[in-house]
Amino acid sequence: MSSVNFTGKNVEEFTITGFDHLSHQKLLGFLIFITYFLVLLGSGTNICIILTDRRLHTPMYLLICNLAVVDIMFTSSTSTTMISVLLGEVKTISYYSCISRMYIYHLCDITGCLALSVMALDRTIAISNPLRYHSILTNARIFVLIIASWFIGIICLGIALAWADFDNLPYCQPIIRYVFCDYPALIRAACVNPEPYFLIPTILALWLLAGQFPLIILSYIKIIYTLLRLPNSESRAQGFNTCICHIIVVSCYYAPKLVSVLLTRIGVRLNLTERNALMIIATLLPSLINPTIYCLKTKEIRKRLSGMKRYEPSLTYMKVFF
């Protein structure tokens, strides 16, 4: 048989083979489907409640709503592919569908990281300087920060995609050995040395990890320092409870990235199964945790969900959470 070389211009579809070695594909597909359904239910419910209740049109809830939109788009870009492969037994995906899902996946990944940074800033100002909180972070300024985070994500992703130039990559075999379409999967599917193509993405990843993550850590240090100085033990306990909830969300987002990006760079090698498992966890877990932590644990939204009509606005930011 003569070998046939494919190029990015005439490749019509990719074949996803990341699940081929698994023996319980239906069970995994069902678990992913249930998780995806819960993400849509939780984030969709929170978006509807926040948008329909004008009393929740405040900076904190606008940030929560933005994060919910990111979670839905982020999870949808990968879960639909995995569900199709595992439950629908359709292992092929069209070239442009794969490219578009990859774009949405990485765009929401970058935007989600920036959203967590903005929310950390919001919490720091609210707890450290509550009297000036509403004058510093107005709705208009929050909208600017949200739009800026999306704009930065589009620019960063545009630079990475221009660097890769997927339309001109040669594909000897259009096979993706991973579980969904993302930048590394498409680069490694091509008949090229992948190392040069990871230069810009690595720089962007280091910016997200080494730039945004320390800022979030510093914000928590500032919050903890402020809480320890509070004379009221009840307010201090409420503040720590809020802080712990947000630390869980940040940990769920950053922990898989620290493992997959940093540890592999210092010599820790993950096999294909471990890498795919890490990718699934990194995609589904944060989007499942976020609605619970940021929305379902807030007093106002819980009252709406339970059908209570009376609305009691919180006196301080820290009293929003139980």
Side-chain angles (χ1 to χ4, degrees):
M1 288 181 61
S2 61
S3 60
V4 179
N5 289 331
F6 297 89
T7 65
K9 292 183 178 179
N10 59 29
V11 164
E12 295 183 357
E13 62 184 18
F14 291 101
T15 301
I16 298 177
T17 62
F19 295 112
D20 286 358
H21 64 287
L22 297 181
S23 55
H24 302 287
Q25 296 186 14
K26 295 294 184 182
L27 177 60
L28 178 59
F30 179 74
L31 293 176
I32 293 176
F33 174 79
I34 292 299
T35 304
Y36 180 48
F37 173 77
L38 292 176
V39 170
L40 293 180
L41 179 63
S43 296
T45 301
N46 295 326
I47 292 173
C48 291
I49 290 177
I50 293 173
L51 292 181
T52 57
D53 192 339
R54 294 182 60 86
R55 293 165 296 188
L56 299 182
H57 293 178
T58 60
M60 184 188 73
Y61 285 102
L62 293 177
L63 291 173
I64 290 175
C65 188
N66 175 61
L67 187 62
V69 173
V70 172
D71 287 337
I72 291 177
M73 294 177 60
F74 183 65
T75 310
S76 298
S77 66
T78 59
S79 297
T80 52
T81 301
M82 294 187 288
I83 293 171
S84 177
V85 173
L86 293 171
L87 297 183
E89 299 182 355
V90 179
K91 296 183 180 181
T92 58
I93 182 172
S94 68
Y95 172 79
Y96 289 108
S97 178
C98 190
I99 291 293
S100 61
R101 295 186 189 199
M102 176 203 66
Y103 185 90
I104 295 174
Y105 171 76
H106 290 294
L107 173 62
C108 292
D109 194 19
I110 297 173
T111 307
C113 175
L114 297 176
L116 292 178
S117 298
V118 175
M119 296 180 81
L121 172 66
D122 171 75
R123 292 189 297 274
T124 303
I125 296 176
I127 294 179
S128 302
N129 200 352
L131 296 180
R132 297 187 57 199
Y133 170 71
H134 292 290
S135 62
I136 296 175
L137 287 181
T138 62
N139 286 356
R141 289 174 180 172
I142 288 297
F143 273 119
V144 171
L145 291 175
I146 291 174
I147 294 174
S149 66
W150 284 92
F151 188 66
I152 292 173
I154 292 173
I155 292 178
C156 292
L157 191 55
I159 294 174
L161 295 183
W163 179 265
D165 193 12
F166 284 104
D167 283 343
N168 292 316
L169 284 181
Y171 290 97
C172 300
Q173 290 183 333
I175 295 177
I176 294 178
R177 299 188 301 129
Y178 298 91
V179 292
F180 53 79
C181 298
D182 68 344
Y183 185 93
L186 290 177
I187 291 297
R188 291 192 171 98
C191 302
V192 295
N193 177 18
E195 292 302 324
Y197 292 90
F198 286 110
L199 175 61
I200 297 299
T202 300
I203 294 175
L204 293 176
L206 289 177
W207 171 66
L208 292 175
L209 292 175
Q212 303 302 312
F213 187 60
L215 291 178
I216 295 177
I217 296 299
L218 289 175
S219 71
Y220 286 125
I221 294 175
K222 173 64 175 177
I223 290 173
I224 292 174
Y225 175 75
T226 302
L227 292 175
L228 290 176
R229 297 177 60 189
L230 291 178
N232 191 314
S233 59
E234 181 180 355
S235 298
R236 189 163 55 244
Q238 291 173 340
F240 276 117
N241 183 43
T242 301
C243 190
I244 291 174
C245 292
H246 297 314
I247 289 176
I248 294 174
V249 172
V250 173
S251 300
C252 290
Y253 176 84
Y254 278 101
K257 298 184 182 301
L258 292 173
V259 173
S260 62
V261 176
L262 296 182
L263 294 185
T264 54
R265 296 299 175 184
I266 62 175
V268 178
R269 292 293 180 180
L270 300 176
N271 59 42
L272 187 60
T273 301
E274 294 170 340
R275 189 179 295 275
N276 285 339
L278 197 61
M279 290 171 61
I280 295 174
I281 294 174
T283 302
L284 297 180
L285 184 60
S287 299
L288 182 63
I289 295 296
N290 289 346
T292 302
I293 297 299
Y294 284 121
C295 297
L296 299 183
K297 286 179 68 66
T298 60
K299 182 187 299 184
E300 288 78 6
I301 292 181
R302 289 183 64 177
K303 286 183 178 180
R304 286 290 303 272
L305 291 175
S306 63
M308 297 179 64
K309 302 299 183 181
R310 185 168 58 92
Y311 177 82
E312 297 177 357
S314 302
L315 296 179
T316 65
Y317 178 90
M318 292 180 294
K319 291 183 180 180
V320 170
F321 289 87
F322 286 113

